[in-house]
Structures are given as C-alpha cells and as structure tokens.
Amino acid sequence: MRSLEQKKLLTIITAHAFKNIVTEALKAREVGGYTVVDATGVGAFGVQSGALDSDSNVLIYVILSEARLNLLLEDMDALMTRSYRLKVIVTDISILPRKKSEGGVSG
C-alpha cells in the first residue's frame, strides 16, 4: 500500500466577485490545481444566498506543501491588507498519493 503523504489544505472563502483575483494569484505561483465550489450561507457580511454574484461566495481548495503554502499566505495577506474580503483556513492533511514512491517515502 502507498504511504500517506503529509500536505496542507488551503481553503479560501471569498465573494464570487473576487474569485478571478484569487485564482490569478494561484496561477502566478504556478499552483497546478485547485477546486472552486459555489457556497451560500450567513456570516459577518450577512446572507450570501447565491441568487446574484453580488451575494454569493466561493470556496477555493488547494492541496500543497508547506513551503508553497507560505508563499500563497503572503499573497492572501496582501489581498486582505488591500481590503479584499477573504477568509483563509489552513488544515494539516494526509493524502494517498497517486503514485508509489521509491523506497516507500512519498515526496
């Protein structure tokens, strides 16, 4: 069986209007993949019903190494400093890699 690989899960919650700004920041850091999911709910900015782009959020999920995470956190912090509405959550995760690594160690 493959060994689990330790990674970080970066979850970004932002307004639908800011989705492209965040995904462009990911592309600029050469992030190979991410998942975007439409989200509704209630929070500090009121009801996000999803009826209009102006009242809908997205969740952006990125799985990456800690070294790459730190670079992205700098970018997200810069956006937040410029008053972009973001919630940034970091979680330690273990993934089952697609390939077995040589010597039993995943990299």
Side-chain angles (χ1 to χ4, degrees), residues 3-20:
S3 297
L4 291 176
E5 190 174 327
Q6 302 307 304
K7 293 287 187 177
K8 300 290 185 177
L9 173 62
L10 175 64
T11 304
I12 304 163
I13 305 170
T14 191
H16 190 275
F18 301 143
K19 176 180 81 171
N20 289 341

Side-chain angles (χ1 to χ4, degrees), residues 20-37:
N20 289 341
I21 292 166
V22 173
T23 57
E24 287 302 318
L26 298 176
K27 291 175 189 173
R29 292 289 185 181
E30 299 180 352
V31 169
Y34 53 86
T35 300
V36 178
V37 179

Side-chain angles (χ1 to χ4, degrees), residues 46-97:
V47 175
Q48 301 298 303
S49 69
L52 303 169
D53 280 353
S54 61
D55 75 341
S56 62
N57 285 339
V58 293
L59 299 172
I60 302 170
Y61 297 105
V62 186
I63 297 172
L64 64 172
S65 68
E66 187 165 358
R68 295 194 68 183
L69 168 72
N70 290 330
L71 295 171
L72 282 174
L73 290 178
E74 290 177 15
D75 296 341
M76 296 304 109
D77 186 51
L79 291 173
M80 293 169 81
T81 299
R82 295 192 330 242
S83 299
Y84 285 95
R85 190 181 75 196
L86 304 175
K87 182 72 73 176
V88 178
I89 303 158
V90 177
T91 310
D92 293 320
I93 62 170
S94 300
I95 64 168
L96 191 61

